[in-house]
């Protein structure tokens, strides 16, 4: 797999590539292999399939996603563009074999690449994806299907040409004679070579610098624009430059020249007023202005976390985003998010710990002997560089995990602690003052997101209970009919809307079916939906015809004047005569599947939406109900999607109905829901199987006459 990934990167002339594996549940993509530095792509180690990032869209939509530059990235994917504000081009492609999608491939090209892929590059990408898909299929056939890894593998770059010893000595002598300094960085930013002149310019011993990150080994380089330019060079594959002050008064100019194996750096003295003579040359490396103190890697991760938390719609979202973004940024190996409920500790989510250990603490009484409880009640963070430090503060603590250091942070919202966050490390961790300040501030950000998420979950649960109360708990048993119903809330929002369905037993020979959609996705829409459904049910049970049922319900809505409108389809089913009479108020037309599988759209004469004009009349359509047929009633959420022609979507739905088994309505309903677009609207579905519909003589025998 590593070789196949390296091959597609090389043959497509990309700078580097990322290979994602789809989790068995199908809900997330996990980074499995990368040919670039893991530190830069760590925020996207785990990507939800519904997340607005290129690889998720590519896998979900099963197509190539091409981003032809920085502006296009910002326009289509603002969150990744905010975290990686550099010039580069990107392609995301699903990795599949046959009908099975195994994961996704991301390829990155340098900023000087043309705005479109060449034909050879497209062929290389397609061939590489097929090869990767075949390898995963072969592994699955052997009983070893791809699974999310504990940590992504990094494929090292090709070593390049081998330099003979004599040439290496000549190169070293050449560099030693130059008055300017030279050094080399690997893809992780670590120094792999530094000339004596460069070591003199930065004021450090060459032996101490080898293998170190410049911004860690040299404190005066620990400013964001230094690491930012390294990241820009690595991602854009374009030269970069910056100047920085070496205390007390020595200004140094750094030029970075990247390729796929690392970065060459040229170091020269510079004056403060003219930090880089080449800055006036448009072909010269770009220079970034200095920024405030702090570590760039952490800042990028935290920016990514802050952006994601603004869109978190539940407590589990906050847990996942905190773990996915915070742990890689801070190098933590464990995380636990906690709160208090009814006098007991409640663990909301965790990462890096066993379920058995978490279950022992979950619902335990609040005790001052537990660090998380003390932090939660006092709002004062705790930092423990070693386990011995933790033991001194909490003597009763037992070492039940493999962690060597931890920070316990209060989650503050509206000026009060609402929970605590534990971050754990498998090695001693000093927690310098600057990091303590960052962690404490970050915990406040998470606390605010958690407070919003808990409110959202409460509203969601209330909405769910209201929705459940308004929809029928059980559909009545009607001799001669088999039915199946489904309701699926919209993917976003409170999960409540105005879609409804109903099946009404009228007498021993007849029944009625109704389906509708009230405008809006809020409590008002749900309340009106309950009124519409009740009105339809009431008028139906007194024997009103379909046109009168809709006309009477329409007058009720116009009298109420709720400011909302509703669609509705009502069908009167005469089981003895196997006939149906239908009327519609602006609702999508139903489908009728015949015994031979042929499915047609019933052309019910259109009527105006309910709640607009009190005098609206609703024409009807009468049609036969074939034995072994299926009547399909649905709301528009099952077929409507942005950019999709409604006629084409309805025809596709009819095709699915034709292929389904009419004797298993539950399986048919699940299949239709599964092939629906990601719901931005609610979906209601009612299937009525007429397979057993008896004739008049059958009714008498069925009723014991």
């Amino acid at each position: 797999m590593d070789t196949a990934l390296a091959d597609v990167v090389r043959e497509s002339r990309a700078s580097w590539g990322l290979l994602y594996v789809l989790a068995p549940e199908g809900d997330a993509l996990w980074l499995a292999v990368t040919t670039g530095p893991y530190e830069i792509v760590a925020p996207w180690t785990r990507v939800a399939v519904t997340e607005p990032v290129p690889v998720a869209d590519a896998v979900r939509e099963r197509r190539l996603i091409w981003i032809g530059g920085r502006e296009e990235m910002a326009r289509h994917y603002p969150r990744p563009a905010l975290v990686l504000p550099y010039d580069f081009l990107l392609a995301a492609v699903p990795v599949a074999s046959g009908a099975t999608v195994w994961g996704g491939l991301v390829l990155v090209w340098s900023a000087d690449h043309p705005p479109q892929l060449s034909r050879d590059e497209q062929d290389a990408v397609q061939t590489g994806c097929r090869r990767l898909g075949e390898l995963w299929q072969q592994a699955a056939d052997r009983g070893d299907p791809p699974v999310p890894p504990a940590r992504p593998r990094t494929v090292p770059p090709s070593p390049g040409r081998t330099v003979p010893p004599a040439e290496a000595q000549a190169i070293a002598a050449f560099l030693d004679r130059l008055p300017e300094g030279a050094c080399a960085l690997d893809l992780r930013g670590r120094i792999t070579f530094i000339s004596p002149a460069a070591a003199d310019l930065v004021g450090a011993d060459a032996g101490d610098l080898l293998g170190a990150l410049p911004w860690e080994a040299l404190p005066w380089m620990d400013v964001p624009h230094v690491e930012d330019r390294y990241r820009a060079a690595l991602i854009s594959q374009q030269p970069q430059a910056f100047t920085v002050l070496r205390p007390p008064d020595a200004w140094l100019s750094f030029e970075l020249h990247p390729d796929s194996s690392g970065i060459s750096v040229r170091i020269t003295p510079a004056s403060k007023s003219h930090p880089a003579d080449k800055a006036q040359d448009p072909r010269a490396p770009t220079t970034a202005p200095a920024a405030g103190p702090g570590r760039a890697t952490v800042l990028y991760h935290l920016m990514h976390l802050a952006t994601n938390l603004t869109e978190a719609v539940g407590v589990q979202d906050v847990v996942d985003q905190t773990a996915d973004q915070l742990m890689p940024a801070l190098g933590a190996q464990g995380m636990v998010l906690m709160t208090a409920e009814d006098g007991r500790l409640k663990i909301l989510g965790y990462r890096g710990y066993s379920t058995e250990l978490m279950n022992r603490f979950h619902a335990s009484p609040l005790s001052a002997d537990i660090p998380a409880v003390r932090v939660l009640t006092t709002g004062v963070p705790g930092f423990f560089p070693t386990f011995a430090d933790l033991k001194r503060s909490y003597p009763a603590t037992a070492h039940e995990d493999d962690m060597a250091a931890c920070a316990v942070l209060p989650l503050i919202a509206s000026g009060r602690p609402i929970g605590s966050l534990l971050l754990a490390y498998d090695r001693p961790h000093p927690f310098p003052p600057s990091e303590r300040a960052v962690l404490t501030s970050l915990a406040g950000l998470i606390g605010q997101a958690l407070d919003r998420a808990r409110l959202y979950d409460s509203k969601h649960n209330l909405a769910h209970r209201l929705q459940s109360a308004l929809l029928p708990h059980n559909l009545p048993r009607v001799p001669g009919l088999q039915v199946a119903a489904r309701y699926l809330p919209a993917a976003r929002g409170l999960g409540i809307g105005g879609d409804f369905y109903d099946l009404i037993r009228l007498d021993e020979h007849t029944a009625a079916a109704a389906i509708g959609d009230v405008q809006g996705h809020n409590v008002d829409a749900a309340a009106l939906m309950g009124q519409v459904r009740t009105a339809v049910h009431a008028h139906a049970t007194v024997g009103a015809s379909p046109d009168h049922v809709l006309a009477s319900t329409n007058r009720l809505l116009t009298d109420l004047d709720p400011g909302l409108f509703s669609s509705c389809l009502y069908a009167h089913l005469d089981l003895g005569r196997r006939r149906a009479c239908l009327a519609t108020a602006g609702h999508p037309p139903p489908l009728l599947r015949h015994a031979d599988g042929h499915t047609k759209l019933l052309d019910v004469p259109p009527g105006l939406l309910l709640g607009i004009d009190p005098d609206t009349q609703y024409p009807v359509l009468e049609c036969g109900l074939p034995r072994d047929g299926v009547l399909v009633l649905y709301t528009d959420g099952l077929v409507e999607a942005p950019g999709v022609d409604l006629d084409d979507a309805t025809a596709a739905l009819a095709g699915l109905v034709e292929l389904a088994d009419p004797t298993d309505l539950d399986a048919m309903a699940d299949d239709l829901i599964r092939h629906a677009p990601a719901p931005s609207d609610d979906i209601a579905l009612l299937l009525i199987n007429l397979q057993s519909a008896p004739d008049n003589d059958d009714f008498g025998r069925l009723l014991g006459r």
Side-chain angles (χ1 to χ4, degrees):
M1 191 62 68
D2 294 1
T3 301
L5 176 60
D7 287 346
V8 68
V9 171
R10 183 184 65 257
E11 292 166 8
S12 65
R13 295 187 284 275
S15 303
W16 37 289
L18 314 169
L19 182 61
Y20 284 85
V21 59
L22 185 63
E25 300 80 9
D27 61 343
L29 293 158
W30 290 82
L31 182 59
V33 190
T34 174
T35 65
Y38 169 71
E39 289 77 9
I40 287 181
V41 298
W44 297 279
T45 300
R46 176 190 179 276
V47 174
V49 172
T50 56
E51 193 169 342
V53 295
V55 68
D57 284 355
V59 169
R60 190 175 61 254
E61 300 172 12
R62 299 200 65 169
R63 66 183 180 92
L64 182 145
I65 301 293
W66 172 252
I67 303 299
R70 182 174 178 176
E71 289 186 6
E72 191 172 347
M73 175 67 83
R75 187 167 59 252
H76 295 291
Y77 299 98
R79 279 165 46 178
L82 182 65
V83 182
L84 294 176
Y86 309 116
D87 290 317
F88 61 94
L89 294 85
L90 177 147
V93 197
V95 175
S97 58
T100 303
V101 177
W102 297 107
L105 173 67
V106 176
L107 296 169
V108 177
W109 283 266
S110 64
D112 59 0
H113 186 281
Q116 298 295 332
L117 290 175
S118 68
R119 173 56 60 184
D120 289 344
E121 290 169 338
Q122 293 180 42
D123 292 343
V125 172
Q126 293 173 359
T127 301
C129 284
R130 281 198 300 270
R131 175 59 178 155
L132 291 166
E134 291 169 356
L135 290 174
W136 265 334
Q137 181 66 61
Q138 292 168 9
D141 293 342
R142 296 193 302 267
D144 186 25
V147 294
R151 180 181 172 88
R153 299 189 306 277
T154 298
V155 178
S158 58
R161 70 185 184 93
T162 301
V163 180
E167 184 179 347
Q169 291 178 0
I171 293 173
F174 167 77
L175 293 173
D176 288 349
R177 289 190 292 267
L178 292 177
E180 59 193 33
C183 75
L185 308 178
D186 63 15
L187 295 178
R188 299 180 60 193
R190 299 189 179 277
I191 299 173
T192 57
F193 164 82
I194 186 164
S195 68
D200 288 341
L201 285 169
V202 301
D205 183 81
D208 296 334
L209 294 175
L210 290 176
L213 295 169
W215 43 87
E216 289 184 353
L218 303 168
W220 47 272
M221 293 192 74
D222 187 15
V223 288
H225 75 287
V226 172
E227 190 179 350
D228 177 77
R229 290 302 89 193
Y230 150 74
R231 293 164 65 95
L234 201 62
I235 295 172
S236 70
Q237 290 289 289
Q238 296 296 295
Q240 304 289 326
F242 62 88
T243 58
V244 67
L245 175 66
R246 172 195 160 190
D249 55 5
W251 286 89
L252 298 177
S253 173
F254 293 79
E255 293 181 10
L256 282 61
H257 300 271
D259 69 6
S260 59
S261 64
I263 298 176
S264 298
V265 183
R266 178 173 176 259
I267 309 172
T268 57
S271 67
K272 182 177 180 181
S273 57
H274 298 89
D277 293 337
K278 285 191 176 182
Q280 307 304 319
D281 185 347
R283 297 169 299 175
T286 58
T287 303
R295 289 291 314 285
T297 297
V298 173
L299 291 178
Y300 285 124
H301 280 279
L302 301 191
M303 187 183 298
H304 193 266
L305 173 62
T307 305
N308 287 1
L309 286 179
T310 61
E311 300 183 8
V313 294
V315 170
Q316 191 57 50
D317 267 0
V318 173
V319 172
D320 291 341
Q321 295 294 349
T322 300
D324 293 344
Q325 309 305 327
L326 195 60
M327 290 175 64
L330 301 174
Q333 284 71 48
M335 183 216 78
V336 185
L337 202 61
M338 297 159 279
T339 189
E341 189 173 280
D342 299 328
R344 293 183 176 274
L345 186 68
K346 181 179 182 180
I347 294 178
L348 301 174
Y350 57 90
R351 192 75 61 84
Y353 285 97
S354 68
T355 301
E356 179 186 1
L357 180 60
M358 293 296 98
N359 287 341
R360 291 214 302 272
F361 283 95
H362 182 68
S364 60
L366 298 180
S367 168
D369 293 333
I370 301 175
V373 173
R374 183 179 296 179
V375 168
L376 195 155
T377 54
T378 64
V380 178
F383 299 95
F384 308 99
T386 66
F387 180 76
D389 296 315
L390 179 63
K391 188 74 172 177
R392 278 193 295 271
S393 299
Y394 298 91
T397 301
H399 201 174
E400 300 182 84
D401 55 31
D402 296 326
M403 303 302 177
C406 68
V408 190
L409 309 165
L411 304 179
I412 306 295
S414 301
R416 59 183 179 85
I418 63 168
S420 56
L421 172 68
L422 170 70
L423 290 171
Y425 300 79
D426 58 5
R427 296 180 181 179
H429 195 86
F431 297 111
S434 59
E435 185 176 1
R436 295 187 181 203
V438 169
L439 290 177
T440 303
S441 300
L442 187 62
L445 178 68
I446 297 169
Q448 294 171 21
L450 179 62
D451 197 40
R452 293 193 302 269
R454 292 170 68 183
L455 178 61
Y456 173 89
D457 283 347
S458 297
K459 290 182 177 179
H460 179 82
N461 292 334
L462 174 62
H464 179 74
R465 291 198 300 271
L466 177 60
Q467 188 84 56
S468 299
L470 294 174
L471 290 172
H473 291 260
N474 295 292
L475 294 176
R477 292 183 177 273
V478 179
L481 291 183
Q482 295 177 355
V483 296
R486 295 291 186 272
Y487 173 78
L488 187 67
R492 305 289 291 183
L494 284 179
I496 186 170
D499 287 23
F500 68 93
Y501 58 85
D502 207 353
L503 182 72
I504 308 163
R505 180 174 179 175
L506 300 176
D507 58 34
E508 59 193 24
H509 295 279
T510 58
I515 194 164
D517 181 2
V518 176
Q519 171 192 11
H521 297 89
N522 51 38
V523 175
D524 291 338
L528 185 61
M529 175 267 282
Q531 293 173 311
V532 172
R533 178 173 167 258
T534 301
V536 169
H537 198 108
H539 293 300
T541 53
V542 298
S545 60
D547 54 330
H548 288 152
V549 169
L550 292 186
S552 300
T553 304
N554 176 55
R555 283 192 293 272
L556 171 66
L557 258 65
T558 54
D559 289 342
L560 291 174
D561 191 20
L564 299 174
F565 309 123
S566 175
S567 71
C568 184
L569 177 83
Y570 181 85
H572 182 274
L573 309 175
D574 187 331
L575 305 182
R577 297 173 53 234
R578 285 198 291 273
R579 301 287 296 174
C581 183
L582 303 98
T584 181
H587 198 81
L591 295 169
L592 181 61
R593 184 190 191 278
H594 290 258
D596 61 0
H598 171 66
T599 301
K600 63 177 293 187
L601 197 68
L602 296 182
D603 190 15
V604 184
L608 200 60
L609 290 168
L610 302 176
I612 296 177
D613 180 359
D615 299 322
T616 299
Q617 300 298 312
Y618 295 94
V620 299
L621 170 73
E622 290 199 29
C623 65
L625 298 176
R627 189 185 293 272
D628 299 326
V630 179
L631 185 63
V632 181
L633 311 181
Y634 57 93
T635 56
D636 53 13
L638 188 64
V639 291
E640 286 189 352
V644 177
D645 182 79
L646 185 58
D647 291 339
D648 292 342
T650 305
L653 177 64
L656 292 173
V657 173
E658 288 184 357
L659 296 175
D661 181 1
T663 64
D664 190 345
L665 289 192
D666 284 321
M668 180 188 288
D670 291 339
D671 191 51
L672 297 183
I673 292 291
R674 184 166 52 250
H675 285 84
S680 57
D681 195 3
D682 306 333
I683 295 175
L685 175 66
L686 181 62
L687 304 179
I688 302 173
N689 190 330
L690 306 168
Q691 177 182 3
S692 307
D695 55 28
N696 286 320
D697 293 337
D698 291 336
F699 258 107
R701 290 191 296 272
L702 197 148
L703 296 173
R705 294 178 182 172

